[in-house]
Amino acid sequence: MKRGRKLLHRLRACGAALIAAQLSLPLTARALDAAPANPPAPLVAAASDLQFALDEIVARFGRETGIAPRVSYGSSGNLARQIEQGAPFELFLSADEAFVDRLAARGLTRGGGELYAIGRIVLFAPRGSPLTPDPELADLARRLATGAAGRLAIANPEHAPYGRAAEQALRALGLWAAVQPQLLLGENVAQAAQFASSGNADGGIIAYSLALTPALRERGTFALLPESLHAPLRQRMVLLERASPGAERLYEYLRSPAGRASLARHGFGLPEN
């Protein structure tokens, strides 16, 4: 009799567990269905002069929206070429609006985009360098004339807008022919800044936005070059054909007062759009 009662209790316990399991399954499924999916991370191509400013903007954008863009930095020319070859970028921030115009002409963008910043260049010299930065590159000119000039880092002018601006400034001051044997070319302006600050060169002509970063300010000094020495660095951004809603939101965030304020803090001029 006792054995029968124990068996009955076990059957009841098993039945209750089975019922609970059956009831929990639909609830779990409904909970999973109701849980919000993580927003897809838009893929962004950005000029390397933006690295520190855009990292700051993207981090704040992610905290506010839950969207975490993935950013690839490089020279604007190389990034534009990758887009033309089918790279799956959704938003392009170029340091030269000509590359955006080229992509738009090929039907790879959503419209012509928008001017978001005006860039500046500086002559940077690391601590201990014999080169003294000045706005007219007078010390560089003296050192070139006496044969005492060391290496000078710039971004490759063939595909990097900041390298082209550096070349224009050196040409404007009559130094291009003399400095060419001393040039150390970076793939982009961030690499040129690395060369200039690491002791691989006496200095470099790099982006103002990079010279303002704490790491470079600790390593050396710089002089802001006059805008009259080079063509304006008109930086344009554009949504690409495959842009997702997340990319569209980041584009609008960059146009917002918060986005523009971040760019200004990092040394960019703000166009009056």
Side-chain angles (χ1 to χ4, degrees):
M1 191 72 173
K2 289 182 181 179
R3 186 178 300 174
R5 287 176 182 170
K6 287 182 181 179
L7 181 59
L8 182 59
H9 284 309
R10 286 178 183 173
L11 289 173
R12 285 175 178 171
C14 290
L18 181 60
I19 291 169
Q22 289 174 336
L23 288 173
S24 68
L25 284 174
L27 288 173
T28 303
R30 284 197 296 272
L32 288 173
D33 289 340
N38 290 328
L43 190 57
V44 179
S48 60
D49 66 301
L50 288 166
Q51 186 167 349
F52 295 92
L54 191 56
D55 281 353
E56 175 187 297
I57 292 169
V58 162
R60 189 169 61 246
F61 173 78
R63 290 193 298 270
E64 294 180 10
T65 66
I67 301 170
R70 293 174 294 159
V71 184
S72 292
Y73 294 102
S75 71
S76 299
N78 282 343
L79 292 171
R81 191 175 304 112
Q82 291 174 31
I83 292 167
E84 289 171 331
Q85 293 171 352
F89 294 117
E90 302 171 48
L91 174 61
F92 178 37
L93 289 89
S94 177
D96 182 350
E97 63 181 349
F99 292 114
V100 170
D101 294 341
R102 189 174 87 188
L103 295 177
R106 296 193 58 181
L108 299 175
T109 67
R110 295 186 187 175
E114 185 169 312
L115 201 65
Y116 66 89
I118 306 294
R120 299 289 303 274
I121 56 174
V122 305
L123 175 62
F124 175 91
R127 300 197 186 282
S129 170
L131 178 64
T132 301
D134 64 89
E136 300 300 329
L137 307 186
D139 189 57
L140 175 62
R142 283 193 295 269
R143 295 180 63 76
L144 286 168
T146 60
R151 305 300 295 276
L152 182 74
I154 68 170
N156 191 329
E158 291 186 4
H159 51 75
Y162 279 84
R164 187 163 60 252
E167 178 183 343
Q168 291 169 352
L170 290 163
R171 286 186 182 278
L173 295 170
L175 302 177
W176 182 246
V179 81
Q180 282 192 71
Q182 308 304 121
L183 291 179
L184 181 59
L185 298 181
E187 182 67 15
N188 52 61
V189 73
Q191 188 176 62
Q194 182 182 5
F195 291 158
S197 63
S198 63
N200 290 316
D202 282 356
I205 299 178
I206 62 172
Y208 184 33
S209 61
L210 299 179
L212 286 175
T213 61
L216 263 70
R217 296 190 82 150
E218 290 175 3
R219 294 182 186 178
T221 59
F222 65 86
L224 187 64
L225 302 190
E227 293 177 282
S228 59
L229 293 179
H230 59 87
L233 283 158
R234 292 168 56 86
Q235 306 199 186
R236 184 170 289 269
M237 63 180 177
V238 70
L239 288 166
L240 300 169
E241 279 185 310
R242 65 181 78 229
S244 64
E248 293 170 356
R249 289 183 68 181
L250 178 58
Y251 182 88
E252 291 303 320
Y253 193 83
L254 287 161
R255 299 176 69 242
S256 72
R260 287 167 61 84
S262 288
L263 291 170
R265 278 197 302 274
H266 286 269
F268 291 101
L270 299 180
E272 296 181 3
N273 292 330

